[in-house]
Amino acid sequence: MSVSTAFAPAPAPAAATGAVPAPLPVLGRDVTVPLVTGGEVGYAALDYAASAPALQRVWDDIAAYAPYYGSVHRGAGHLSQLSTELFENARRTVADFLDCRDDDQVIFTRSTTDSLNLLARALPAGCEVFVFETEHHAALLPWRAADVTFLDAPRSPAAAVRTLQRALAARDTARPALVCVTGASNVTGELWPVRELAAAARASGARTVLDAAQLVPHQAVSVRELDVDWVAFSGHKLYAPFGSGVLAGRADWLGAAEPYLAGGGASRTVARGADGGVEVEWQDGAARHEAGSPNVIGAHALASACRALTEAGPEALAVRERHLLGLLRAGLAEVPEVRVLTLFGEDAPRVGVLSFVVDGWNSSHLAAALSAEYGIGVRDGLFCAHPLVHALLGTDPAGRAGCGTGSLNAVRVSFGAGTPDEDVLRFVTAVRELVTRGAKWTYRTENGRCVPES
Ligand code: PLP
């Protein structure tokens, strides 16, 4: 009995409505939340870009495996062996999902942030790093100990490539270099020209890491086709919120680096040295950077999500997402006060992530009212991409605003494979009502957040 098939129940069939596939079953669809105006309403989860709900399939896979859970790699018992096989199978599933090269390695981490920090610690001596200022902080900040060049926000995909080419042309090609690019912006949802940026990097002898946190939940990613050196993403944005992330790609820099964490699992042999200290021989491969007991459930959940999305079909998921984007754009277009934030232009291809501001509204106020009066969960703020959002809003980074004042941040709405039409339609109706009629409740600022008056 193979472990991967033993713990993988058949996926629930998705009923199609016309040409648009049905949403995939996710947990939480039957959760109701209280309204400040009285009563309860079904929760509309429209903050997938922060964390997506677990796929029902992922939950079922975990439940099927949980009784068989055991420590991995070092246990002699049957369940330890089963769990080890499951954990290593999860690695292969992720490698297949990303269409990795044969000699790539998959390292399980906690998240995208963890993956990028791991790579930052493994940069070879003298490495230069190039990163756009538009990145999420997880991709912007880990390189600060290196010789990093922050590239100005480009206003089109072609400008992004030209900006990178110009910066790379000035670099010392005797030194190693890394370019960090994002697949899809967590603020605008816009797709970045990953293949072209990776080609520009390659032409200059630099390597590329792809921050795919917002890309893998929406599109198939092929490491081979994109020709990137590493990919980082998080399980909790991929319908597997169980604490696992991935850094997949080239083994050489990571194999030459000190382990990310020192401890059991990363060490092959440890002995007292002649000088009274401790001598250690580190492991090669993924184990070198996975010290401590790994998150088997998290890895299993992440692999389960990879299988579920592959079986659902990236094209079918894209059809559904385009349909939802169409509903959202059409609904917001009816509210002239809404300004959608965009770097590459309103019609630029994007995933199901969209940020906007509303004339005369503070974004925190709007988001608070959407939650309190309509049971709709979106996000407001700067989305851990402060330089980008300030550039898009034309705001002063030091500015502060209360509930009643103009917008110094934005509202983000995001969705994915589990989102029904109804949630998006409720959202656009709620925005329209709030903007035309105003909030029904009063709100105040508490600890920097807008909250309903009690
Ligand atoms: N990169 C992007 C584009 C993101 O949107 C996020 C999270 O929102 C991250 C990186 C960091 O992901 P995590 O918080 O899972 O480490």
Side-chain angles (χ1 to χ4, degrees), residues 20 23 317-330 352 415-425:
V20 180
L317 295 173
V319 167
R320 169 134 203 93
E321 190 160 309
R322 281 196 294 274
H323 165 71
L324 293 176
L325 269 169
L327 295 179
L328 176 68
R329 301 302 297 266
F415 46 78
T419 308
D421 293 14
E422 178 202 341
D423 285 7
V424 173
L425 294 172

mmCIF file with all atom_site columns, all heavy atoms in Angstrom, residues 20 23 317-330 352 415-425:
data_model
loop_
_atom_site.group_PDB
_atom_site.id
_atom_site.type_symbol
_atom_site.label_atom_id
_atom_site.label_alt_id
_atom_site.label_comp_id
_atom_site.label_asym_id
_atom_site.label_entity_id
_atom_site.label_seq_id
_atom_site.pdbx_PDB_ins_code
_atom_site.Cartn_x
_atom_site.Cartn_y
_atom_site.Cartn_z
_atom_site.occupancy
_atom_site.B_iso_or_equiv
_atom_site.pdbx_formal_charge
_atom_site.auth_seq_id
_atom_site.auth_comp_id
_atom_site.auth_asym_id
_atom_site.auth_atom_id
_atom_site.pdbx_PDB_model_num
ATOM 1   N N   . VAL A 1 20  ? -18.763 27.926 -16.301 1.00 0.00 ? 20  VAL A N   1
ATOM 2   C CA  . VAL A 1 20  ? -17.899 28.285 -15.172 1.00 0.00 ? 20  VAL A CA  1
ATOM 3   C C   . VAL A 1 20  ? -17.917 27.167 -14.135 1.00 0.00 ? 20  VAL A C   1
ATOM 4   O O   . VAL A 1 20  ? -18.972 26.832 -13.603 1.00 0.00 ? 20  VAL A O   1
ATOM 5   C CB  . VAL A 1 20  ? -18.380 29.605 -14.519 1.00 0.00 ? 20  VAL A CB  1
ATOM 6   C CG1 . VAL A 1 20  ? -17.491 29.973 -13.348 1.00 0.00 ? 20  VAL A CG1 1
ATOM 7   C CG2 . VAL A 1 20  ? -18.421 30.719 -15.549 1.00 0.00 ? 20  VAL A CG2 1
ATOM 8   N N   . PRO A 1 23  ? -17.086 26.366 -7.326  1.00 0.00 ? 23  PRO A N   1
ATOM 9   C CA  . PRO A 1 23  ? -15.959 26.509 -6.404  1.00 0.00 ? 23  PRO A CA  1
ATOM 10  C C   . PRO A 1 23  ? -15.585 25.159 -5.800  1.00 0.00 ? 23  PRO A C   1
ATOM 11  O O   . PRO A 1 23  ? -16.421 24.266 -5.717  1.00 0.00 ? 23  PRO A O   1
ATOM 12  C CB  . PRO A 1 23  ? -16.494 27.457 -5.326  1.00 0.00 ? 23  PRO A CB  1
ATOM 13  C CG  . PRO A 1 23  ? -17.947 27.622 -5.553  1.00 0.00 ? 23  PRO A CG  1
ATOM 14  C CD  . PRO A 1 23  ? -18.284 27.096 -6.916  1.00 0.00 ? 23  PRO A CD  1
ATOM 15  N N   . LEU A 1 317 ? -9.685  26.353 -12.876 1.00 0.00 ? 317 LEU A N   1
ATOM 16  C CA  . LEU A 1 317 ? -9.609  27.319 -11.770 1.00 0.00 ? 317 LEU A CA  1
ATOM 17  C C   . LEU A 1 317 ? -9.453  28.733 -12.313 1.00 0.00 ? 317 LEU A C   1
ATOM 18  O O   . LEU A 1 317 ? -10.032 29.689 -11.785 1.00 0.00 ? 317 LEU A O   1
ATOM 19  C CB  . LEU A 1 317 ? -8.439  26.976 -10.836 1.00 0.00 ? 317 LEU A CB  1
ATOM 20  C CG  . LEU A 1 317 ? -8.572  25.631 -10.098 1.00 0.00 ? 317 LEU A CG  1
ATOM 21  C CD1 . LEU A 1 317 ? -7.295  25.306 -9.335  1.00 0.00 ? 317 LEU A CD1 1
ATOM 22  C CD2 . LEU A 1 317 ? -9.771  25.651 -9.146  1.00 0.00 ? 317 LEU A CD2 1
ATOM 23  N N   . ALA A 1 318 ? -8.693  28.870 -13.395 1.00 0.00 ? 318 ALA A N   1
ATOM 24  C CA  . ALA A 1 318 ? -8.484  30.201 -13.993 1.00 0.00 ? 318 ALA A CA  1
ATOM 25  C C   . ALA A 1 318 ? -9.784  30.728 -14.587 1.00 0.00 ? 318 ALA A C   1
ATOM 26  O O   . ALA A 1 318 ? -10.084 31.921 -14.492 1.00 0.00 ? 318 ALA A O   1
ATOM 27  C CB  . ALA A 1 318 ? -7.391  30.131 -15.059 1.00 0.00 ? 318 ALA A CB  1
ATOM 28  N N   . VAL A 1 319 ? -10.582 29.829 -15.201 1.00 0.00 ? 319 VAL A N   1
ATOM 29  C CA  . VAL A 1 319 ? -11.874 30.254 -15.766 1.00 0.00 ? 319 VAL A CA  1
ATOM 30  C C   . VAL A 1 319 ? -12.749 30.807 -14.646 1.00 0.00 ? 319 VAL A C   1
ATOM 31  O O   . VAL A 1 319 ? -13.360 31.875 -14.759 1.00 0.00 ? 319 VAL A O   1
ATOM 32  C CB  . VAL A 1 319 ? -12.572 29.066 -16.473 1.00 0.00 ? 319 VAL A CB  1
ATOM 33  C CG1 . VAL A 1 319 ? -14.034 29.391 -16.780 1.00 0.00 ? 319 VAL A CG1 1
ATOM 34  C CG2 . VAL A 1 319 ? -11.824 28.683 -17.743 1.00 0.00 ? 319 VAL A CG2 1
ATOM 35  N N   . ARG A 1 320 ? -12.781 30.082 -13.545 1.00 0.00 ? 320 ARG A N   1
ATOM 36  C CA  . ARG A 1 320 ? -13.612 30.515 -12.412 1.00 0.00 ? 320 ARG A CA  1
ATOM 37  C C   . ARG A 1 320 ? -13.113 31.862 -11.870 1.00 0.00 ? 320 ARG A C   1
ATOM 38  O O   . ARG A 1 320 ? -13.892 32.753 -11.556 1.00 0.00 ? 320 ARG A O   1
ATOM 39  C CB  . ARG A 1 320 ? -13.575 29.423 -11.335 1.00 0.00 ? 320 ARG A CB  1
ATOM 40  C CG  . ARG A 1 320 ? -14.140 29.819 -10.054 1.00 0.00 ? 320 ARG A CG  1
ATOM 41  C CD  . ARG A 1 320 ? -15.088 28.857 -9.378  1.00 0.00 ? 320 ARG A CD  1
ATOM 42  N NE  . ARG A 1 320 ? -15.906 29.663 -8.488  1.00 0.00 ? 320 ARG A NE  1
ATOM 43  C CZ  . ARG A 1 320 ? -17.068 30.172 -8.803  1.00 0.00 ? 320 ARG A CZ  1
ATOM 44  N NH1 . ARG A 1 320 ? -17.623 29.907 -9.952  1.00 0.00 ? 320 ARG A NH1 1
ATOM 45  N NH2 . ARG A 1 320 ? -17.709 30.950 -7.966  1.00 0.00 ? 320 ARG A NH2 1
ATOM 46  N N   . GLU A 1 321 ? -11.808 31.981 -11.759 1.00 0.00 ? 321 GLU A N   1
ATOM 47  C CA  . GLU A 1 321 ? -11.251 33.211 -11.192 1.00 0.00 ? 321 GLU A CA  1
ATOM 48  C C   . GLU A 1 321 ? -11.515 34.413 -12.109 1.00 0.00 ? 321 GLU A C   1
ATOM 49  O O   . GLU A 1 321 ? -11.841 35.504 -11.626 1.00 0.00 ? 321 GLU A O   1
ATOM 50  C CB  . GLU A 1 321 ? -9.751  33.020 -10.954 1.00 0.00 ? 321 GLU A CB  1
ATOM 51  C CG  . GLU A 1 321 ? -9.163  34.151 -10.165 1.00 0.00 ? 321 GLU A CG  1
ATOM 52  C CD  . GLU A 1 321 ? -7.859  33.777 -9.514  1.00 0.00 ? 321 GLU A CD  1
ATOM 53  O OE1 . GLU A 1 321 ? -7.800  32.731 -8.835  1.00 0.00 ? 321 GLU A OE1 1
ATOM 54  O OE2 . GLU A 1 321 ? -6.891  34.505 -9.710  1.00 0.00 ? 321 GLU A OE2 1
ATOM 55  N N   . ARG A 1 322 ? -11.387 34.212 -13.408 1.00 0.00 ? 322 ARG A N   1
ATOM 56  C CA  . ARG A 1 322 ? -11.674 35.313 -14.344 1.00 0.00 ? 322 ARG A CA  1
ATOM 57  C C   . ARG A 1 322 ? -13.145 35.738 -14.228 1.00 0.00 ? 322 ARG A C   1
ATOM 58  O O   . ARG A 1 322 ? -13.478 36.910 -14.284 1.00 0.00 ? 322 ARG A O   1
ATOM 59  C CB  . ARG A 1 322 ? -11.349 34.900 -15.787 1.00 0.00 ? 322 ARG A CB  1
ATOM 60  C CG  . ARG A 1 322 ? -9.856  34.974 -16.112 1.00 0.00 ? 322 ARG A CG  1
ATOM 61  C CD  . ARG A 1 322 ? -9.620  34.949 -17.611 1.00 0.00 ? 322 ARG A CD  1
ATOM 62  N NE  . ARG A 1 322 ? -9.992  33.682 -18.225 1.00 0.00 ? 322 ARG A NE  1
ATOM 63  C CZ  . ARG A 1 322 ? -9.191  32.617 -18.316 1.00 0.00 ? 322 ARG A CZ  1
ATOM 64  N NH1 . ARG A 1 322 ? -7.953  32.677 -17.843 1.00 0.00 ? 322 ARG A NH1 1
ATOM 65  N NH2 . ARG A 1 322 ? -9.592  31.514 -18.907 1.00 0.00 ? 322 ARG A NH2 1
ATOM 66  N N   . HIS A 1 323 ? -13.999 34.733 -14.042 1.00 0.00 ? 323 HIS A N   1
ATOM 67  C CA  . HIS A 1 323 ? -15.430 35.007 -13.877 1.00 0.00 ? 323 HIS A CA  1
ATOM 68  C C   . HIS A 1 323 ? -15.648 35.874 -12.626 1.00 0.00 ? 323 HIS A C   1
ATOM 69  O O   . HIS A 1 323 ? -16.354 36.886 -12.675 1.00 0.00 ? 323 HIS A O   1
ATOM 70  C CB  . HIS A 1 323 ? -16.161 33.662 -13.775 1.00 0.00 ? 323 HIS A CB  1
ATOM 71  C CG  . HIS A 1 323 ? -17.550 33.735 -13.271 1.00 0.00 ? 323 HIS A CG  1
ATOM 72  N ND1 . HIS A 1 323 ? -18.585 34.258 -14.013 1.00 0.00 ? 323 HIS A ND1 1
ATOM 73  C CD2 . HIS A 1 323 ? -18.091 33.378 -12.068 1.00 0.00 ? 323 HIS A CD2 1
ATOM 74  C CE1 . HIS A 1 323 ? -19.701 34.204 -13.301 1.00 0.00 ? 323 HIS A CE1 1
ATOM 75  N NE2 . HIS A 1 323 ? -19.428 33.689 -12.118 1.00 0.00 ? 323 HIS A NE2 1
ATOM 76  N N   . LEU A 1 324 ? -15.027 35.497 -11.513 1.00 0.00 ? 324 LEU A N   1
ATOM 77  C CA  . LEU A 1 324 ? -15.196 36.268 -10.273 1.00 0.00 ? 324 LEU A CA  1
ATOM 78  C C   . LEU A 1 324 ? -14.610 37.671 -10.425 1.00 0.00 ? 324 LEU A C   1
ATOM 79  O O   . LEU A 1 324 ? -15.192 38.656 -9.958  1.00 0.00 ? 324 LEU A O   1
ATOM 80  C CB  . LEU A 1 324 ? -14.521 35.543 -9.101  1.00 0.00 ? 324 LEU A CB  1
ATOM 81  C CG  . LEU A 1 324 ? -15.146 34.208 -8.673  1.00 0.00 ? 324 LEU A CG  1
ATOM 82  C CD1 . LEU A 1 324 ? -14.322 33.557 -7.560  1.00 0.00 ? 324 LEU A CD1 1
ATOM 83  C CD2 . LEU A 1 324 ? -16.588 34.394 -8.208  1.00 0.00 ? 324 LEU A CD2 1
ATOM 84  N N   . LEU A 1 325 ? -13.466 37.757 -11.097 1.00 0.00 ? 325 LEU A N   1
ATOM 85  C CA  . LEU A 1 325 ? -12.860 39.076 -11.326 1.00 0.00 ? 325 LEU A CA  1
ATOM 86  C C   . LEU A 1 325 ? -13.793 39.958 -12.152 1.00 0.00 ? 325 LEU A C   1
ATOM 87  O O   . LEU A 1 325 ? -13.924 41.152 -11.903 1.00 0.00 ? 325 LEU A O   1
ATOM 88  C CB  . LEU A 1 325 ? -11.523 38.927 -12.043 1.00 0.00 ? 325 LEU A CB  1
ATOM 89  C CG  . LEU A 1 325 ? -10.291 38.804 -11.147 1.00 0.00 ? 325 LEU A CG  1
ATOM 90  C CD1 . LEU A 1 325 ? -9.071  38.404 -11.962 1.00 0.00 ? 325 LEU A CD1 1
ATOM 91  C CD2 . LEU A 1 325 ? -10.014 40.107 -10.398 1.00 0.00 ? 325 LEU A CD2 1
ATOM 92  N N   . GLY A 1 326 ? -14.446 39.332 -13.122 1.00 0.00 ? 326 GLY A N   1
ATOM 93  C CA  . GLY A 1 326 ? -15.400 40.069 -13.966 1.00 0.00 ? 326 GLY A CA  1
ATOM 94  C C   . GLY A 1 326 ? -16.541 40.621 -13.112 1.00 0.00 ? 326 GLY A C   1
ATOM 95  O O   . GLY A 1 326 ? -16.927 41.786 -13.250 1.00 0.00 ? 326 GLY A O   1
ATOM 96  N N   . LEU A 1 327 ? -17.093 39.785 -12.217 1.00 0.00 ? 327 LEU A N   1
ATOM 97  C CA  . LEU A 1 327 ? -18.180 40.252 -11.339 1.00 0.00 ? 327 LEU A CA  1
ATOM 98  C C   . LEU A 1 327 ? -17.704 41.404 -10.462 1.00 0.00 ? 327 LEU A C   1
ATOM 99  O O   . LEU A 1 327 ? -18.407 42.406 -10.277 1.00 0.00 ? 327 LEU A O   1
ATOM 100 C CB  . LEU A 1 327 ? -18.651 39.103 -10.425 1.00 0.00 ? 327 LEU A CB  1
ATOM 101 C CG  . LEU A 1 327 ? -19.310 37.889 -11.076 1.00 0.00 ? 327 LEU A CG  1
ATOM 102 C CD1 . LEU A 1 327 ? -19.680 36.865 -10.003 1.00 0.00 ? 327 LEU A CD1 1
ATOM 103 C CD2 . LEU A 1 327 ? -20.551 38.304 -11.860 1.00 0.00 ? 327 LEU A CD2 1
ATOM 104 N N   . LEU A 1 328 ? -16.494 41.255 -9.938  1.00 0.00 ? 328 LEU A N   1
ATOM 105 C CA  . LEU A 1 328 ? -15.950 42.279 -9.033  1.00 0.00 ? 328 LEU A CA  1
ATOM 106 C C   . LEU A 1 328 ? -15.721 43.594 -9.772  1.00 0.00 ? 328 LEU A C   1
ATOM 107 O O   . LEU A 1 328 ? -16.140 44.659 -9.311  1.00 0.00 ? 328 LEU A O   1
ATOM 108 C CB  . LEU A 1 328 ? -14.633 41.756 -8.441  1.00 0.00 ? 328 LEU A CB  1
ATOM 109 C CG  . LEU A 1 328 ? -13.881 42.724 -7.541  1.00 0.00 ? 328 LEU A CG  1
ATOM 110 C CD1 . LEU A 1 328 ? -14.657 42.972 -6.251  1.00 0.00 ? 328 LEU A CD1 1
ATOM 111 C CD2 . LEU A 1 328 ? -12.492 42.162 -7.196  1.00 0.00 ? 328 LEU A CD2 1
ATOM 112 N N   . ARG A 1 329 ? -15.065 43.499 -10.928 1.00 0.00 ? 329 ARG A N   1
ATOM 113 C CA  . ARG A 1 329 ? -14.745 44.725 -11.669 1.00 0.00 ? 329 ARG A CA  1
ATOM 114 C C   . ARG A 1 329 ? -16.015 45.434 -12.125 1.00 0.00 ? 329 ARG A C   1
ATOM 115 O O   . ARG A 1 329 ? -16.117 46.653 -12.038 1.00 0.00 ? 329 ARG A O   1
ATOM 116 C CB  . ARG A 1 329 ? -13.859 44.410 -12.889 1.00 0.00 ? 329 ARG A CB  1
ATOM 117 C CG  . ARG A 1 329 ? -12.522 43.733 -12.581 1.00 0.00 ? 329 ARG A CG  1
ATOM 118 C CD  . ARG A 1 329 ? -11.673 44.563 -11.650 1.00 0.00 ? 329 ARG A CD  1
ATOM 119 N NE  . ARG A 1 329 ? -11.307 45.840 -12.223 1.00 0.00 ? 329 ARG A NE  1
ATOM 120 C CZ  . ARG A 1 329 ? -10.173 46.085 -12.881 1.00 0.00 ? 329 ARG A CZ  1
ATOM 121 N NH1 . ARG A 1 329 ? -9.282  45.125 -13.028 1.00 0.00 ? 329 ARG A NH1 1
ATOM 122 N NH2 . ARG A 1 329 ? -9.907  47.267 -13.361 1.00 0.00 ? 329 ARG A NH2 1
ATOM 123 N N   . ALA A 1 330 ? -16.973 44.635 -12.609 1.00 0.00 ? 330 ALA A N   1
ATOM 124 C CA  . ALA A 1 330 ? -18.226 45.246 -13.085 1.00 0.00 ? 330 ALA A CA  1
ATOM 125 C C   . ALA A 1 330 ? -18.949 45.919 -11.924 1.00 0.00 ? 330 ALA A C   1
ATOM 126 O O   . ALA A 1 330 ? -19.473 47.034 -12.061 1.00 0.00 ? 330 ALA A O   1
ATOM 127 C CB  . ALA A 1 330 ? -19.111 44.185 -13.726 1.00 0.00 ? 330 ALA A CB  1
ATOM 128 N N   . GLY A 1 352 ? -6.815  36.947 -8.423  1.00 0.00 ? 352 GLY A N   1
ATOM 129 C CA  . GLY A 1 352 ? -7.987  37.405 -7.677  1.00 0.00 ? 352 GLY A CA  1
ATOM 130 C C   . GLY A 1 352 ? -7.650  38.223 -6.445  1.00 0.00 ? 352 GLY A C   1
ATOM 131 O O   . GLY A 1 352 ? -8.070  37.884 -5.331  1.00 0.00 ? 352 GLY A O   1
ATOM 132 N N   . PHE A 1 415 ? -9.774  36.581 -3.374  1.00 0.00 ? 415 PHE A N   1
ATOM 133 C CA  . PHE A 1 415 ? -10.557 35.344 -3.377  1.00 0.00 ? 415 PHE A CA  1
ATOM 134 C C   . PHE A 1 415 ? -9.817  34.261 -4.141  1.00 0.00 ? 415 PHE A C   1
ATOM 135 O O   . PHE A 1 415 ? -8.729  34.492 -4.667  1.00 0.00 ? 415 PHE A O   1
ATOM 136 C CB  . PHE A 1 415 ? -11.941 35.598 -3.983  1.00 0.00 ? 415 PHE A CB  1
ATOM 137 C CG  . PHE A 1 415 ? -11.899 36.394 -5.257  1.00 0.00 ? 415 PHE A CG  1
ATOM 138 C CD1 . PHE A 1 415 ? -11.559 35.808 -6.452  1.00 0.00 ? 415 PHE A CD1 1
ATOM 139 C CD2 . PHE A 1 415 ? -12.181 37.756 -5.244  1.00 0.00 ? 415 PHE A CD2 1
ATOM 140 C CE1 . PHE A 1 415 ? -11.503 36.538 -7.622  1.00 0.00 ? 415 PHE A CE1 1
ATOM 141 C CE2 . PHE A 1 415 ? -12.142 38.500 -6.406  1.00 0.00 ? 415 PHE A CE2 1
ATOM 142 C CZ  . PHE A 1 415 ? -11.800 37.889 -7.601  1.00 0.00 ? 415 PHE A CZ  1
ATOM 143 N N   . GLY A 1 416 ? -10.439 33.095 -4.209  1.00 0.00 ? 416 GLY A N   1
ATOM 144 C CA  . GLY A 1 416 ? -9.762  31.990 -4.882  1.00 0.00 ? 416 GLY A CA  1
ATOM 145 C C   . GLY A 1 416 ? -10.689 30.840 -5.166  1.00 0.00 ? 416 GLY A C   1
ATOM 146 O O   . GLY A 1 416 ? -11.911 31.023 -5.348  1.00 0.00 ? 416 GLY A O   1
ATOM 147 N N   . ALA A 1 417 ? -10.125 29.645 -5.144  1.00 0.00 ? 417 ALA A N   1
ATOM 148 C CA  . ALA A 1 417 ? -10.820 28.462 -5.649  1.00 0.00 ? 417 ALA A CA  1
ATOM 149 C C   . ALA A 1 417 ? -12.074 28.108 -4.857  1.00 0.00 ? 417 ALA A C   1
ATOM 150 O O   . ALA A 1 417 ? -12.941 27.403 -5.367  1.00 0.00 ? 417 ALA A O   1
ATOM 151 C CB  . ALA A 1 417 ? -9.863  27.269 -5.656  1.00 0.00 ? 417 ALA A CB  1
ATOM 152 N N   . GLY A 1 418 ? -12.174 28.579 -3.610  1.00 0.00 ? 418 GLY A N   1
ATOM 153 C CA  . GLY A 1 418 ? -13.339 28.216 -2.798  1.00 0.00 ? 418 GLY A CA  1
ATOM 154 C C   . GLY A 1 418 ? -14.412 29.283 -2.758  1.00 0.00 ? 418 GLY A C   1
ATOM 155 O O   . GLY A 1 418 ? -15.416 29.128 -2.056  1.00 0.00 ? 418 GLY A O   1
ATOM 156 N N   . THR A 1 419 ? -14.225 30.369 -3.500  1.00 0.00 ? 419 THR A N   1
ATOM 157 C CA  . THR A 1 419 ? -15.142 31.515 -3.387  1.00 0.00 ? 419 THR A CA  1
ATOM 158 C C   . THR A 1 419 ? -16.370 31.343 -4.282  1.00 0.00 ? 419 THR A C   1
ATOM 159 O O   . THR A 1 419 ? -16.233 31.196 -5.503  1.00 0.00 ? 419 THR A O   1
ATOM 160 C CB  . THR A 1 419 ? -14.412 32.814 -3.800  1.00 0.00 ? 419 THR A CB  1
ATOM 161 O OG1 . THR A 1 419 ? -13.207 32.915 -3.062  1.00 0.00 ? 419 THR A OG1 1
ATOM 162 C CG2 . THR A 1 419 ? -15.285 34.033 -3.539  1.00 0.00 ? 419 THR A CG2 1
ATOM 163 N N   . PRO A 1 420 ? -17.561 31.388 -3.698  1.00 0.00 ? 420 PRO A N   1
ATOM 164 C CA  . PRO A 1 420 ? -18.768 31.351 -4.539  1.00 0.00 ? 420 PRO A CA  1
ATOM 165 C C   . PRO A 1 420 ? -19.070 32.739 -5.108  1.00 0.00 ? 420 PRO A C   1
ATOM 166 O O   . PRO A 1 420 ? -18.675 33.749 -4.507  1.00 0.00 ? 420 PRO A O   1
ATOM 167 C CB  . PRO A 1 420 ? -19.866 30.923 -3.550  1.00 0.00 ? 420 PRO A CB  1
ATOM 168 C CG  . PRO A 1 420 ? -19.388 31.384 -2.224  1.00 0.00 ? 420 PRO A CG  1
ATOM 169 C CD  . PRO A 1 420 ? -17.872 31.436 -2.264  1.00 0.00 ? 420 PRO A CD  1
ATOM 170 N N   . ASP A 1 421 ? -19.810 32.800 -6.198  1.00 0.00 ? 421 ASP A N   1
ATOM 171 C CA  . ASP A 1 421 ? -20.217 34.086 -6.802  1.00 0.00 ? 421 ASP A CA  1
ATOM 172 C C   . ASP A 1 421 ? -20.865 34.988 -5.751  1.00 0.00 ? 421 ASP A C   1
ATOM 173 O O   . ASP A 1 421 ? -20.629 36.196 -5.707  1.00 0.00 ? 421 ASP A O   1
ATOM 174 C CB  . ASP A 1 421 ? -21.260 33.872 -7.909  1.00 0.00 ? 421 ASP A CB  1
ATOM 175 C CG  . ASP A 1 421 ? -20.692 33.155 -9.114  1.00 0.00 ? 421 ASP A CG  1
ATOM 176 O OD1 . ASP A 1 421 ? -19.583 32.588 -9.001  1.00 0.00 ? 421 ASP A OD1 1
ATOM 177 O OD2 . ASP A 1 421 ? -21.364 33.150 -10.157 1.00 0.00 ? 421 ASP A OD2 1
ATOM 178 N N   . GLU A 1 422 ? -21.698 34.347 -4.946  1.00 0.00 ? 422 GLU A N   1
ATOM 179 C CA  . GLU A 1 422 ? -22.500 35.078 -3.957  1.00 0.00 ? 422 GLU A CA  1
ATOM 180 C C   . GLU A 1 422 ? -21.639 36.001 -3.080  1.00 0.00 ? 422 GLU A C   1
ATOM 181 O O   . GLU A 1 422 ? -22.044 37.126 -2.775  1.00 0.00 ? 422 GLU A O   1
ATOM 182 C CB  . GLU A 1 422 ? -23.189 34.010 -3.091  1.00 0.00 ? 422 GLU A CB  1
ATOM 183 C CG  . GLU A 1 422 ? -24.015 34.507 -1.985  1.00 0.00 ? 422 GLU A CG  1
ATOM 184 C CD  . GLU A 1 422 ? -24.174 33.418 -0.905  1.00 0.00 ? 422 GLU A CD  1
ATOM 185 O OE1 . GLU A 1 422 ? -23.950 32.213 -1.191  1.00 0.00 ? 422 GLU A OE1 1
ATOM 186 O OE2 . GLU A 1 422 ? -24.506 33.794 0.229   1.00 0.00 ? 422 GLU A OE2 1
ATOM 187 N N   . ASP A 1 423 ? -20.456 35.554 -2.686  1.00 0.00 ? 423 ASP A N   1
ATOM 188 C CA  . ASP A 1 423 ? -19.613 36.374 -1.794  1.00 0.00 ? 423 ASP A CA  1
ATOM 189 C C   . ASP A 1 423 ? -19.165 37.648 -2.499  1.00 0.00 ? 423 ASP A C   1
ATOM 190 O O   . ASP A 1 423 ? -19.153 38.730 -1.916  1.00 0.00 ? 423 ASP A O   1
ATOM 191 C CB  . ASP A 1 423 ? -18.381 35.582 -1.334  1.00 0.00 ? 423 ASP A CB  1
ATOM 192 C CG  . ASP A 1 423 ? -18.735 34.543 -0.281  1.00 0.00 ? 423 ASP A CG  1
ATOM 193 O OD1 . ASP A 1 423 ? -19.940 34.364 -0.021  1.00 0.00 ? 423 ASP A OD1 1
ATOM 194 O OD2 . ASP A 1 423 ? -17.813 33.917 0.275   1.00 0.00 ? 423 ASP A OD2 1
ATOM 195 N N   . VAL A 1 424 ? -18.789 37.518 -3.762  1.00 0.00 ? 424 VAL A N   1
ATOM 196 C CA  . VAL A 1 424 ? -18.326 38.690 -4.511  1.00 0.00 ? 424 VAL A CA  1
ATOM 197 C C   . VAL A 1 424 ? -19.499 39.639 -4.760  1.00 0.00 ? 424 VAL A C   1
ATOM 198 O O   . VAL A 1 424 ? -19.370 40.860 -4.630  1.00 0.00 ? 424 VAL A O   1
ATOM 199 C CB  . VAL A 1 424 ? -17.655 38.252 -5.833  1.00 0.00 ? 424 VAL A CB  1
ATOM 200 C CG1 . VAL A 1 424 ? -17.316 39.467 -6.696  1.00 0.00 ? 424 VAL A CG1 1
ATOM 201 C CG2 . VAL A 1 424 ? -16.403 37.432 -5.545  1.00 0.00 ? 424 VAL A CG2 1
ATOM 202 N N   . LEU A 1 425 ? -20.659 39.064 -5.068  1.00 0.00 ? 425 LEU A N   1
ATOM 203 C CA  . LEU A 1 425 ? -21.838 39.911 -5.323  1.00 0.00 ? 425 LEU A CA  1
ATOM 204 C C   . LEU A 1 425 ? -22.262 40.641 -4.048  1.00 0.00 ? 425 LEU A C   1
ATOM 205 O O   . LEU A 1 425 ? -22.611 41.816 -4.075  1.00 0.00 ? 425 LEU A O   1
ATOM 206 C CB  . LEU A 1 425 ? -22.983 39.048 -5.884  1.00 0.00 ? 425 LEU A CB  1
ATOM 207 C CG  . LEU A 1 425 ? -22.671 38.462 -7.272  1.00 0.00 ? 425 LEU A CG  1
ATOM 208 C CD1 . LEU A 1 425 ? -23.742 37.466 -7.696  1.00 0.00 ? 425 LEU A CD1 1
ATOM 209 C CD2 . LEU A 1 425 ? -22.521 39.573 -8.315  1.00 0.00 ? 425 LEU A CD2 1
#
